[in-house]
Amino acid sequence: MSSNIRITPIEKTMAKSYLEYSMSVITSRALPHVRDGLKPVHRRILWAMYNLGLTHNRPPRKCARTIGETSAKYHPHGGNSVYDALVRMAQPFSLRYPLIQGQGNFGSMDGQPAAAMRYTEARMAEISNEILMDINKNTVDLIDNFDGLDKEPVILPAKIPNLLINGVMGIAVGMATSMPPHNLGEVLDGVKAVIENPEISIIDLMNYIPGPDFPTGGVIFGTKGIKRAYHTGTGNVVLRAKYEFEEKKNKTSIVITEVPYLVKRQDTIEHRGLVDIIEGMKEAGKFPEIGSVKNESNIIRGTRIVINLKHSANIEVVLNRLFKFTPMQISFSIRNMVLVDAKVGDEVKIRPKNLNLKELLTQFIDHRHEIVVRRTEFDLKKARERAHILEGRKIVVENLDEVIKIIRGSSNGSEAQTALISKFLFSEIQAKDILALPLRSLTRFDRDKILQEYKETLEAIKDYEDILGSEQRIIDIIVNEIDEIKSKYGDPRRSKIVLDDSDSYENWTDKTEEDFITKEDIVITLTSNGYIKSISTDMYNSQHRGGKGIKSMDLGKDDFLQEMIVASTHDTILFFTVHGTVYRFRGFQIPMSKQRVTKGVNIVNLLKMDRSDKIVAIIRVTEFNPDHYLVLATKNGIIKKSSLSEYENIRSTGIIAQKLRENDMIIGAKVTDGTKGIILATKKGKAIRFKESDVRVVGRSSIGVMGIRLNSDDSVIDLAIVDENRTLLTICENGYGKRSSFDKYRITRRNGKGVINIKATKRNGDVIAVKSVNEKDLLLMVANDGKLIQIPLEDIRAIGRATSGVTLMRLEKDSGVKISSVAIIAGGNSNQGVD
């Protein structure tokens, strides 16, 4: 066998190939980009039409021409699939604001398909000009197409929030997006509200954007699903047909005038229409009250489906059954899964992410900010180049006779160019422009025009420089453009929102985000390789002290459980890193797993942290009480105390939690009320107790003070807050531990050597954690092989301070397995507080 042949297991090759295929589908086909709201096929269709000159003020051309241009240059897929995308962009019942004007048969709500592309014609709608506006001003990056012969934009400038106003649906591999359309005017009002108040809540945003606005109208019944979707990015909207009653010859008819979004009125090969579903159920005897059903819809009248009822029919009963058993009422699933630009190391890569309403608006604002800046930089560059030319012409105007004399006295153009540069210090560009000037431009009128243009160009340069130097001017430009778009394309809402009896405005206007999240207890785990997950505490059963434990998760090679805390889904979780940075997440934002053995997702997908950084401590905060403090301890014995309120507002990129000296790192964090004592414990079994008042309150980014003096081979491993009604639990890496009363630890001044906490013998191994506990608590311990044990603390009797402890978890001898993480469930219920 040749040495060049490398044998690879087929399952490894298949997994790699499938992952590459999945990412290709996700980023290059199925999901829209948050900035312009377009999938690649839609973006390429608009780009092809733009290059063909098919703007709204030009005659339309055959769709086959557009499809050929798109497929041949930008989107090498089947022509029929590209045509299907183009057709949908032209259907007023599919898009709230169609991006293409179609001429011919582009399908109907009755399920009638569009005519073949050789028969239909199309051009861009006027609103599409706003999506492509300023694309020739270096506002977006252009990349090579699939064969490298043409260029295509990575994104479009998108002056309108197309993602929200038109919505999008797409199925990728392992994920999907389903976003409803909205009213343009309402969305733009929401954008302005976020600009004016970046801290605005989503509930307040709903005063501007109360809910989706579907192109086919209909009635949105209830707002619970809307609120959930706007807060979490996922939810369901109940959408009903709009109807009215007609009385003729003592008979009542239900007349449907608007059907729910994407519901077909009549039966087709692919879809069952509303009329046919009702007729089928009537014939099956499920609607005996209905006499007949007629579809009287047409282009002029619009939707009109007449349901004739019998004399004996109870209208309310019929309506309720129609809503329950037919598409007169549907549940539109909302999932705001979009592509965003994420920083991975030094590179910006496209990643899928589920966004709430405010995040969608913020992303659009950031996009427009970048477009305005890049457009202004382009205009500034062009203005400077023009000013350079006009500066040369101005010198000519002021020295016209001498310039003419030099040109007439030169034997050729090259000699004249050299002479002009030598005499007037022109640049080569200026000299060439002067020699190319026609004589008619040297008349008195044209000379005045040159001077006037030069003056105006200098003023434009000053204005562009002022824009780039003023954040407020950039914001003003964005707001002015928003106002222009709204006045030009804004229209009334089509979908009516109706509150049900249990969903009045008084019930929800003062609710916060967590009101939409079920409050439950969770265990949050983080591995050394950065994999994080949350899981319900109900997944773990109590065992007795000395057990072997159960499997908690499948860990990869060289990975082990590093941190574990018990919290509520409503808690704030603070993450502290090696480099002294702190990040913030809510409990419900931690990906929840339904299986105990899964390891979760990598935390770099959640936090915007450097690859070189690493999470070393996690704490939960129920509320940011200004009278409480955050105490941080470092490996080298430094202790720091600062107000907890300083950590309430943490940006997505994190903030400084503590300045660190060289070769130091944060090892633990605790929340205190300022009146307790503090214990610092070292890995070699030493501990020191001192009053919290010995540590003065300092700023968030301060270094802190010395808490304990260490031997050269020792380091601080954990800290605990003293409570005389509790005991101190000490855990060693080999599965041994003990409880001791706090009064066994005498109070000293900080910066001392401490006392023996536990005998760190070969049997015990190093200390890995100390916890403040009481007998009603539950102890969770996880070994680095993934096994977990849960022990009632009452099973661990309190013993002396300088003792060896007892067996808490039996580990396989000589296997290298160690205890890697410890957590406490307070009172068996995390709502009572955890350490």
Side-chain angles (χ1 to χ4, degrees):
M1 183 178 293
S2 173
S3 59
N4 293 329
I5 297 177
R6 185 173 59 187
I7 299 176
T8 304
I10 189 170
E11 61 271 17
K12 185 176 181 180
T13 300
M14 291 294 291
K16 181 177 181 293
S17 299
Y18 188 73
L19 180 61
E20 292 174 351
Y21 163 74
S22 302
M23 288 306 299
S24 175
V25 172
I26 290 168
T27 60
S28 302
R29 291 176 64 182
L31 299 186
H33 200 290
V34 70
R35 295 172 66 184
D36 62 4
L38 297 170
K39 296 181 187 178
V41 64
H42 302 131
R43 187 179 302 117
R44 288 163 175 168
I45 289 172
L46 292 179
W47 178 241
M49 297 183 82
Y50 176 81
N51 288 328
L52 289 172
L54 296 179
T55 55
H56 75 284
N57 53 2
R58 300 281 295 276
R61 295 179 67 178
K62 290 288 185 182
C63 289
R65 178 71 180 90
T66 300
I67 300 306
E69 180 81 1
T70 305
S71 297
K73 290 186 176 181
Y74 311 113
H75 199 71
H77 297 276
N80 288 335
S81 65
V82 180
Y83 183 53
D84 289 343
L86 183 147
V87 167
R88 190 176 186 279
M89 294 169 73
Q91 292 175 335
F93 51 86
S94 293
L95 265 65
R96 183 64 175 81
Y97 301 89
L99 303 179
I100 289 176
Q101 286 182 350
Q103 186 167 294
N105 177 13
F106 275 79
S108 71
M109 287 181 62
D110 288 323
Q112 182 184 25
M117 67 180 79
R118 61 182 179 275
Y119 299 121
T120 56
E121 297 180 339
R123 63 183 178 185
M124 288 194 298
E126 186 176 3
I127 198 170
S128 293
N129 290 349
E130 312 299 341
I131 295 179
L132 287 149
M133 185 79 70
D134 300 320
I135 197 169
N136 59 345
K137 291 189 174 183
N138 193 36
T139 50
V140 295
D141 295 330
L142 298 179
I143 59 173
D144 289 336
N145 68 336
F146 64 92
D147 60 10
L149 299 178
D150 290 280
K151 294 287 186 180
E152 63 174 315
V154 174
I155 216 77
L156 296 182
K159 213 173 184 180
I160 60 172
N162 181 64
L163 184 62
L164 277 168
I165 67 172
N166 274 326
V168 68
M169 299 186 74
I171 300 175
V173 179
M175 61 184 66
T177 185
S178 176
M179 300 181 65
H182 290 76
N183 183 273
L184 175 64
E186 293 175 353
V187 172
L188 292 178
D189 287 341
V191 171
K192 288 180 63 177
V194 175
I195 291 175
E196 293 168 2
N197 178 18
E199 303 301 322
I200 189 171
S201 67
I202 293 179
I203 284 295
D204 290 336
L205 267 178
M206 290 183 68
N207 294 324
Y208 303 93
I209 309 175
D213 187 24
F214 297 95
T216 54
V219 178
I220 298 173
F221 188 74
T223 62
K224 292 180 180 178
I226 300 175
K227 289 178 284 184
R228 180 175 178 83
Y230 283 176
H231 281 81
T232 67
T234 303
N236 291 283
V237 172
V238 177
L239 186 62
R240 290 181 171 180
K242 188 176 181 181
Y243 61 90
E244 56 191 33
F245 300 113
E246 283 187 0
E247 296 283 345
K248 288 184 180 180
K249 297 180 181 180
N250 296 325
K251 287 187 177 181
T252 302
S253 297
I254 300 173
V255 180
I256 300 173
T257 57
E258 295 175 0
V259 298
Y261 185 51
L262 301 180
V263 170
K264 305 297 180 186
R265 295 181 300 210
Q266 200 71 44
D267 210 1
T268 65
I269 296 175
E270 297 87 2
H271 303 276
R272 290 201 66 196
L274 177 60
V275 171
D276 306 276
I277 290 173
I278 297 175
E279 284 184 336
M281 298 185 73
K282 170 184 168 293
E283 292 174 0
K286 295 184 178 180
F287 280 103
E289 305 90 345
I290 294 178
S292 63
V293 184
K294 296 180 180 179
N295 184 9
E296 300 178 358
S297 307
N298 57 41
I299 296 176
I300 298 174
R301 175 186 288 167
T303 298
R304 180 178 167 83
I305 299 173
V306 182
I307 304 173
N308 296 311
L309 304 181
K310 296 179 179 179
H311 285 289
S312 60
N314 184 315
I315 297 177
E316 291 299 323
V317 171
V318 174
L319 276 174
N320 286 333
R321 294 180 68 191
L322 285 170
F323 289 140
K324 184 175 182 179
F325 297 112
T326 77
M328 274 188 66
Q329 175 175 301
I330 66 169
S331 179
F332 186 93
S333 178
I334 299 177
R335 184 165 179 80
N336 299 335
M337 182 64 67
V338 295
L339 298 176
V340 298
D341 294 331
K343 190 173 182 181
V344 181
D346 296 330
E347 297 182 50
V348 176
K349 294 187 177 181
I350 296 176
R351 290 287 185 266
K353 190 175 183 180
N354 198 49
L355 303 180
N356 62 34
L357 176 64
K358 186 176 178 181
E359 289 171 332
L360 289 170
L361 297 177
T362 302
Q363 287 277 354
F364 175 72
I365 295 168
D366 292 343
H367 170 61
R368 287 307 304 166
H369 187 284
E370 180 181 342
I371 297 300
V372 171
V373 170
R374 291 184 64 163
R375 180 183 68 195
T376 306
E377 289 173 344
F378 178 88
D379 289 337
L380 175 60
K381 179 182 177 183
K382 291 296 182 183
R384 284 172 173 168
E385 290 173 354
R386 184 60 180 168
H388 185 62
I389 294 294
L390 293 172
E391 186 178 6
R393 294 184 181 184
K394 177 176 177 291
I395 294 174
V396 170
V397 168
E398 294 170 348
N399 301 274
L400 184 58
D401 293 337
E402 190 171 359
V403 170
I404 293 174
K405 182 179 178 181
I406 290 173
I407 294 173
R408 291 183 62 185
S410 301
S411 58
N412 53 51
S414 178
E415 184 180 330
Q417 178 177 316
T418 303
L420 288 172
I421 292 174
S422 175
K423 177 65 178 177
F424 297 104
L425 301 179
F426 288 138
S427 68
E428 185 176 339
I429 294 174
Q430 289 173 321
K432 287 181 178 180
D433 174 72
I434 292 165
L435 292 174
L437 283 174
L439 291 175
R440 65 174 178 271
S441 65
L442 300 178
T443 63
R444 180 174 298 278
F445 175 74
D446 282 337
R447 281 184 283 171
D448 291 341
K449 283 177 61 178
I450 290 172
L451 295 176
Q452 180 63 26
E453 184 185 356
Y454 181 61
K455 179 182 177 183
E456 292 173 355
T457 304
L458 291 179
E459 291 175 353
I461 291 173
K462 184 177 179 181
D463 187 53
Y464 293 144
E465 291 174 340
D466 183 64
I467 291 173
L468 294 174
S470 171
E471 185 69 20
Q472 186 57 47
R473 285 209 61 188
I474 295 174
I475 295 299
D476 291 342
I477 290 172
I478 295 173
V479 171
N480 290 338
E481 290 179 347
I482 287 173
D483 292 336
E484 292 173 4
I485 295 292
K486 182 180 177 181
S487 63
K488 191 173 184 180
Y489 302 103
D491 61 353
R493 162 175 280 276
R494 297 181 188 176
S495 297
K496 183 180 179 181
I497 300 176
V498 175
L499 303 175
D500 61 24
D501 294 338
S502 63
D503 200 25
S504 64
Y505 280 108
E506 290 75 19
N507 289 341
W508 66 267
T509 51
D510 56 351
K511 288 186 177 181
T512 58
E513 190 173 58
E514 55 261 29
D515 291 324
F516 306 99
I517 305 298
T518 302
K519 189 173 184 179
E520 61 178 312
D521 303 330
I522 55 176
V523 176
I524 299 172
T525 58
L526 177 70
T527 75
S528 63
N529 287 344
Y531 287 94
I532 190 171
K533 72 171 182 180
S534 66
I535 193 168
S536 173
T537 54
D538 295 337
M539 298 291 290
Y540 301 110
N541 296 319
S542 293
Q543 296 172 271
H544 291 294
R545 177 178 66 82
K548 288 187 175 181
I550 59 174
K551 190 72 172 177
S552 69
M553 67 174 64
D554 285 328
L555 296 170
K557 186 179 180 181
D558 300 327
D559 198 9
F560 59 89
L561 193 63
Q562 175 183 305
E563 295 288 333
M564 178 172 62
I565 65 167
V566 183
S568 163
T569 50
H570 286 200
D571 287 338
T572 296
I573 312 300
L574 298 183
F575 298 84
F576 298 87
T577 75
V578 172
H579 296 160
T581 304
V582 58
Y583 298 88
R584 166 182 171 154
F585 246 79
R586 303 301 301 276
F588 61 81
Q589 292 175 312
I590 307 297
M592 179 167 279
S593 174
K594 295 182 179 179
Q595 296 182 353
R596 191 180 62 244
V597 296
T598 58
K599 63 182 179 181
V601 301
N602 201 293
I603 197 166
V604 297
N605 296 320
L606 304 177
L607 304 180
K608 296 180 179 179
M609 56 184 291
D610 292 335
R611 291 279 184 178
S612 61
D613 214 350
K614 184 179 180 180
I615 302 296
V616 292
I618 307 175
I619 66 167
R620 74 158 197 167
V621 179
T622 302
E623 61 176 338
F624 288 86
N625 190 327
D627 295 326
H628 285 185
Y629 302 93
L630 181 71
V631 176
L632 296 171
T634 76
K635 178 184 71 172
N636 292 342
I638 300 294
I639 189 86
K640 192 199 81 167
K641 183 173 74 172
S642 51
S643 174
L644 183 61
S645 61
E646 291 200 44
Y647 300 85
E648 183 171 9
N649 298 315
I650 300 177
R651 53 183 175 267
S652 59
T653 54
I655 60 174
I656 296 175
Q658 180 176 359
K659 284 186 178 179
L660 298 172
R661 293 191 174 99
E662 189 176 356
N663 298 323
D664 203 0
M665 60 179 279
I666 293 173
I667 55 86
K670 289 288 184 288
V671 175
T672 74
D673 61 6
T675 63
K676 308 291 186 183
I678 296 173
I679 284 185
L680 295 181
T682 76
K683 70 177 184 179
K684 295 302 181 183
K686 299 294 284 294
I688 187 172
R689 175 182 175 181
F690 52 86
K691 294 180 180 179
E692 187 179 336
S693 57
D694 287 352
V695 184
R696 62 185 179 88
V697 180
V698 295
R700 174 174 52 80
S701 58
S702 299
I703 294 177
V705 294
M706 186 61 71
I708 185 172
R709 285 185 287 119
L710 300 166
N711 295 327
S712 59
D713 63 340
D714 206 357
S715 62
V716 176
I717 198 66
D718 206 351
L719 79 157
I721 304 303
V722 176
D723 186 337
E724 297 295 349
N725 296 319
R726 303 165 72 85
T727 54
L728 184 70
L729 173 69
T730 302
I731 309 292
C732 295
E733 62 182 352
N734 290 340
Y736 295 90
K738 54 103 181 178
R739 281 195 303 127
S740 299
S741 173
F742 277 111
D743 59 19
K744 302 293 183 182
Y745 299 82
R746 70 176 186 274
I747 302 174
T748 64
R749 303 287 292 180
R750 64 172 178 83
N751 198 22
K753 296 281 290 185
V755 296
I756 296 176
N757 173 35
I758 191 172
K759 292 180 179 179
T761 60
K762 183 178 180 180
R763 183 199 76 159
N764 288 353
D766 290 339
V767 176
I768 64 163
V770 293
K771 304 292 180 184
S772 176
V773 299
N774 66 38
E775 291 187 351
K776 295 182 179 180
D777 294 343
L778 292 176
L779 167 65
L780 285 178
M781 291 197 306
V782 180
N784 56 16
D785 62 352
K787 287 187 177 180
L788 175 145
I789 190 170
Q790 179 173 295
I791 308 169
L793 262 296
E794 62 186 2
D795 285 1
I796 307 172
R797 64 186 181 89
I799 57 179
R801 172 175 56 79
T803 56
S804 297
V806 296
T807 302
L808 301 180
M809 183 175 182
R810 285 190 293 111
L811 304 176
E812 297 295 335
K813 292 183 178 180
D814 303 323
S815 64
V817 177
K818 305 289 185 182
I819 301 297
S820 62
S821 187
V822 177
I824 302 297
I825 303 180
N829 186 336
S830 66
N831 290 331
Q832 300 177 26
V834 297
D835 183 33

